[in-house]
Amino acid sequence: MSRFTVTYRLRAASRAEAQARAEGIALEQTVEIPRNVVPAGYVADEILGRVEEIGSLGEDLWQASVSYSPDSAGDEFTQFLNVVFGNSSIQQGIRVTGIDLGPEMAARLPGPRFGIAGIRALCGRATGGMIAPVLKPMGLTPAELARLAEGCVRGGADIVKEDHGLAGQPSAPFRARVEAVCAAMRKVRAQTGQRTLYFPNLSGRADEIERNLRFLRDAGADGVLVMPGLFGFGLVHRIATDAGLNLPVMTHPSFLGPFVLAPDNGIDHGVLFGTIQRLAGADISVFPNVGGRFGFSAEECRAIARACRDPSGPGRAMLPSPGGGMSVARAADMQAMYGQDVVYLLGGSLLRDPGRIDEAVAEMRRALPTGA
Amino acid sequence: MSRFTVTYRLRAASRAEAQARAEGIALEQTVEIPRNVVPAGYVADEILGRVEEIGSLGEDLWQASVSYSPDSAGDEFTQFLNVVFGNSSIQQGIRVTGIDLGPEMAARLPGPRFGIAGIRALCGRATGGMIAPVLKPMGLTPAELARLAEGCVRGGADIVKEDHGLAGQPSAPFRARVEAVCAAMRKVRAQTGQRTLYFPNLSGRADEIERNLRFLRDAGADGVLVMPGLFGFGLVHRIATDAGLNLPVMTHPSFLGPFVLAPDNGIDHGVLFGTIQRLAGADISVFPNVGGRFGFSAEECRAIARACRDPSGPGRAMLPSPGGGMSVARAADMQAMYGQDVVYLLGGSLLRDPGRIDEAVAEMRRALPTGA
């Protein structure tokens, strides 16, 4: 059976130490027992991770490729991540820099259900950058949030996204909020002909998530915002692989920061906010934009966008969605950096005058070339 | 309403910069809009985070306390974490070093259902350290895993824990595995009078988790192993707060490493593997022991154990469960370090001769003072 391969960047003083660390990863991520007690036969020959290659990256840095059996990952996305980086995530000086599925895992992890073309078809924006104003702040009522959503539709938004912090506040319970926004958007879409999509923030206790998913779909939401750092990437995969639900997924980076912030640990920006989101089946991946309140560099943001849109896969290309750092003044620069296949989140800058959010959205819409 | 307070360690060049960073966190973690557009009234007065105190920690390090409204967190544990550290987790130089619930959130988050006393009552070990051998490696069949479990019961194990990597392998599907181990343990427990508990590894696609939970409970499992890094802490909370299910939870640190490895980012060891696990409702928290394959220091491990067992709360005291680094030779040292209320994971060292795992477990049992 064709194996999948994970590339790690290792800190090690010599090639021999890098080799030993890689052998340690191959054990840790699969059998988790010393090599001399690994049962011969199927476990040693198939299940055990296999060091495929060690290369120097200069100084004390090495690149190690370790291959794994699809049998170790099975068909659960959480278990796939568990094999990619479960326990090794706890060791210093190991960073995931690449994942290559191979044919067998590629068949099991088909990726985004909608992808770039699917999202464009749904919101009726064939070319050009898309804009997604955010409904916030927490503490507003469903009626207040619905009024903001109305303004966003009138202004020509492509997607109305809920703030990832809208969850469980007594001021706006999930069902009341989703129903109010759906009703308001339905009305204004009919009046204006806009096809603006609505992505509510999925939340709830663990045993309410399935009900809440069905509720938001039945209420008329067009997609769903999911925080895989808090709910697990398995939830993204579960939604993306459900043909009956048929809902696009936008992922939010909340609680995922520590995976990228230290260069020697965790997961590379492009792999975490691009490759892994795409493997899980997200259609749109939100990440902190260069120039906003977070410290991502232009190159880190470009790496994310590349991983989201790489035409060679895995699966369908998905939309990078830089959050923060976008304004009318920066629209041309952003367009130069990200090109057309991108969803810009628009946040607090729209709320200077909540009653005129439609004008703020429209101004942003005009600032972005339509790319036709 | 009484607010809850999160303490952050900040990197900042001056007190003024530390104050500004803390104000930034208070906005970021709640309203996520600039201060000058926060709606007056309820949102500004109650929902918005509030900087309570800034203190110097020497050099460029500062401690900031920020309080939040229970209304911002609601009653979902994921949303509580989202407020504690959602977006701020993505900014450099911010580390969570403490969480103080206050009366209102303490009532919403009661903590472990069983705790130390409850687990001791279930497994019949009134005093002394407990031992938990691990069923592995992945790739074994249900019958092979069941034979190992039998040996562990005969040897006097307190808990038989499944390896966190047992999930989705075709060699041992979840239901077949759980049924085989339950049946084998039931038989040997009846023969020996041992009360060894069985904690299978909870896995499955996101929409199978509820079914799998009920299945393992009905099959006769005594508790459940959960990986909150992959499935979310909300799953731990959902299990711990279900009186009908009434299952103790052991948590595993898989995929959580990046939260602790960089001293300027993430979450302190004691807060992540102690306080947060306890708030979520875990009864036993597994973490990598000093001296094993991971780099945690003795002081980091002590901080975890302190946070797990602090008699002042939050909620019932829980059991720290150091994994790795335990052996007959080190038993006395470990006992000196951790005292009695501890569950030692025993891994690969038991598997040198799988047919004699009972002797290896019994030898370990004899090496640990019973503390009576």
Side-chain angles (χ1 to χ4, degrees):
Chain A
M1 195 180 296
S2 68
R3 297 169 75 84
F4 65 97
T5 305
V6 182
T7 309
Y8 304 91
R9 189 168 65 232
L10 306 179
R11 193 160 282 280
S14 66
R15 179 176 290 270
E17 188 189 327
Q19 178 78 33
R21 292 208 75 180
E23 303 283 357
I25 293 171
L27 288 164
E28 190 70 54
Q29 293 306 106
T30 56
V31 293
E32 219 198 320
I33 51 178
R35 182 63 185 89
N36 60 356
V37 300
V38 175
Y42 174 72
V43 178
D45 298 340
E46 174 68 28
I47 288 290
L48 178 61
R50 200 179 292 160
V51 179
E52 302 288 352
E53 204 175 354
I54 303 279
S56 170
L57 296 172
E59 307 218 6
D60 292 345
L61 288 177
W62 303 82
Q63 176 165 302
S65 299
V66 181
S67 74
Y68 301 102
S69 169
D71 277 3
S72 64
D75 58 0
E76 299 170 14
F77 194 76
T78 42
Q79 176 59 12
F80 171 72
L81 285 184
N82 204 16
V83 172
V84 167
F85 201 44
N87 270 9
S88 292
S89 81
I90 320 175
Q91 290 174 319
Q92 290 284 4
I94 303 177
R95 187 166 174 100
V96 176
T97 56
I99 299 174
D100 182 356
L101 287 187
E104 176 60 33
M105 288 308 290
R108 295 187 198 178
L109 300 175
R113 168 171 295 275
F114 295 86
I116 296 174
I119 298 291
R120 285 199 179 282
L122 286 175
C123 68
R125 178 83 56 198
T127 57
M130 286 170 267
I131 57 176
V134 181
L135 300 184
K136 55 182 171 182
M138 61 164 75
L140 296 189
T141 63
E144 290 170 319
L145 294 164
R147 269 197 297 280
L148 289 176
E150 276 186 42
C152 294
V153 178
R154 289 193 200 285
D158 299 293
I159 297 173
V160 167
K161 166 199 167 285
E162 283 188 345
D163 187 57
H164 73 285
L166 297 189
Q169 289 88 29
S171 50
F174 177 74
R175 294 188 171 212
R177 190 178 86 227
V178 170
E179 279 179 338
V181 175
C182 280
M185 286 182 62
R186 198 177 294 121
K187 186 187 66 182
V188 191
R189 289 196 290 208
Q191 291 168 358
T192 61
Q194 286 285 341
R195 288 161 63 181
T196 312
L197 309 177
Y198 169 43
F199 281 58
N201 180 38
L202 181 59
S203 68
R205 291 168 50 100
D207 52 348
E208 294 169 343
I209 293 293
E210 288 293 314
R211 278 198 293 284
N212 287 354
L213 253 183
R214 284 191 296 271
F215 178 85
L216 66 83
R217 192 265 324 265
D218 294 344
D222 306 284
V224 60
L225 181 76
V226 176
M227 297 179 283
L230 287 163
F231 289 97
F233 281 94
L235 180 56
V236 179
H237 184 242
R238 173 257 173 279
I239 300 169
T241 51
D242 188 334
L245 207 57
N246 201 39
L247 277 177
V249 182
M250 178 185 243
T251 48
H252 188 280
S254 178
F255 212 63
L256 283 176
F259 282 93
V260 299
L261 292 183
D264 271 3
N265 302 316
I267 302 175
D268 263 0
H269 291 73
V271 178
L272 182 64
F273 294 116
T275 313
I276 289 178
Q277 310 281 350
R278 196 165 160 177
L279 290 174
D283 302 286
I284 308 171
S285 172
V286 175
F287 61 93
N289 195 15
V290 59
R293 306 181 304 280
F294 300 84
F296 285 20
S297 70
E299 184 41 40
E300 287 161 350
C301 292
R302 279 195 203 96
I304 293 169
R306 272 197 305 272
C308 288
R309 302 185 301 205
D310 184 346
S312 67
R316 291 189 177 88
M318 69 184 293
L319 287 156
S321 183
M326 182 59 167
S327 62
V328 169
R330 290 188 74 203
D333 284 353
M334 290 290 103
Q335 184 85 355
M337 177 169 170
Y338 288 111
Q340 291 195 33
D341 289 329
V342 57
V343 175
Y344 296 105
L345 291 198
L346 304 175
S349 61
L350 297 179
L351 294 171
R352 277 185 302 265
D353 183 352
R356 299 170 71 181
I357 194 171
D358 53 343
E359 295 174 24
V361 171
E363 192 187 10
M364 193 66 237
R365 186 66 263 170
R366 284 191 299 272
L368 268 183
T370 56
Chain B
M1 194 180 295
S2 68
R3 296 169 75 85
F4 65 98
T5 305
V6 181
T7 309
Y8 304 91
R9 188 168 66 232
L10 306 180
R11 193 160 281 281
S14 65
R15 178 176 291 270
E17 188 188 326
Q19 178 77 33
R21 292 208 76 179
E23 304 283 358
I25 293 171
L27 289 163
E28 189 70 54
Q29 293 307 107
T30 55
V31 293
E32 219 198 321
I33 53 179
R35 181 64 186 87
N36 60 355
V37 300
V38 176
Y42 174 72
V43 178
D45 298 340
E46 174 67 27
I47 288 290
L48 178 60
R50 200 179 292 160
V51 179
E52 302 287 354
E53 204 176 353
I54 303 280
S56 171
L57 295 171
E59 306 216 8
D60 292 346
L61 288 176
W62 303 82
Q63 177 165 301
S65 299
V66 180
S67 74
Y68 300 101
S69 169
D71 277 3
S72 64
D75 57 0
E76 299 170 14
F77 194 76
T78 41
Q79 176 58 12
F80 170 72
L81 285 184
N82 204 17
V83 171
V84 168
F85 201 45
N87 269 10
S88 291
S89 82
I90 320 175
Q91 290 175 318
Q92 290 284 3
I94 303 178
R95 187 166 174 101
V96 175
T97 57
I99 299 174
D100 181 356
L101 287 188
E104 175 61 33
M105 287 308 291
R108 295 187 198 178
L109 301 175
R113 168 171 295 275
F114 295 85
I116 296 175
I119 297 291
R120 285 198 179 281
L122 286 175
C123 67
R125 178 83 56 196
T127 57
M130 286 170 269
I131 56 176
V134 182
L135 299 184
K136 57 182 170 183
M138 60 164 75
L140 297 188
T141 63
E144 290 169 318
L145 294 164
R147 271 198 295 280
L148 290 176
E150 277 187 41
C152 294
V153 178
R154 289 192 200 284
D158 299 293
I159 297 172
V160 167
K161 166 199 167 286
E162 283 187 345
D163 187 57
H164 73 284
L166 295 190
Q169 290 88 30
S171 49
F174 177 74
R175 295 189 170 211
R177 191 178 86 227
V178 170
E179 279 180 337
V181 175
C182 281
M185 286 182 63
R186 199 177 293 121
K187 185 187 67 181
V188 192
R189 288 196 291 208
Q191 291 168 358
T192 60
Q194 286 285 341
R195 288 162 63 183
T196 312
L197 310 176
Y198 169 43
F199 281 58
N201 180 39
L202 181 59
S203 68
R205 290 169 51 101
D207 52 348
E208 294 169 342
I209 293 293
E210 288 293 314
R211 278 197 293 285
N212 287 354
L213 253 183
R214 286 190 296 271
F215 178 85
L216 65 84
R217 194 264 323 266
D218 294 344
D222 305 284
V224 59
L225 182 76
V226 176
M227 296 179 283
L230 287 163
F231 288 97
F233 281 94
L235 180 56
V236 179
H237 185 242
R238 173 259 171 281
I239 299 169
T241 51
D242 188 333
L245 208 57
N246 201 38
L247 277 178
V249 182
M250 179 185 244
T251 47
H252 188 281
S254 178
F255 213 63
L256 284 176
F259 282 93
V260 299
L261 291 182
D264 271 4
N265 303 315
I267 302 176
D268 263 1
H269 291 74
V271 178
L272 182 65
F273 294 116
T275 313
I276 289 178
Q277 310 281 350
R278 197 166 160 176
L279 290 174
D283 302 286
I284 308 171
S285 172
V286 175
F287 61 93
N289 196 15
V290 58
R293 305 181 305 280
F294 301 84
F296 284 19
S297 70
E299 184 41 40
E300 287 161 351
C301 292
R302 280 196 203 94
I304 293 168
R306 272 197 305 273
C308 289
R309 302 186 300 204
D310 184 347
S312 67
R316 293 189 175 89
M318 70 183 292
L319 287 156
S321 184
M326 182 60 166
S327 62
V328 170
R330 290 188 74 203
D333 283 352
M334 289 291 103
Q335 184 84 355
M337 176 168 171
Y338 288 110
Q340 291 194 33
D341 289 331
V342 56
V343 175
Y344 296 105
L345 290 198
L346 304 175
S349 62
L350 298 178
L351 294 172
R352 277 186 302 264
D353 183 351
R356 299 170 71 181
I357 193 171
D358 52 344
E359 295 175 23
V361 170
E363 192 188 9
M364 193 67 236
R365 187 65 264 170
R366 284 191 299 272
L368 268 183
T370 56

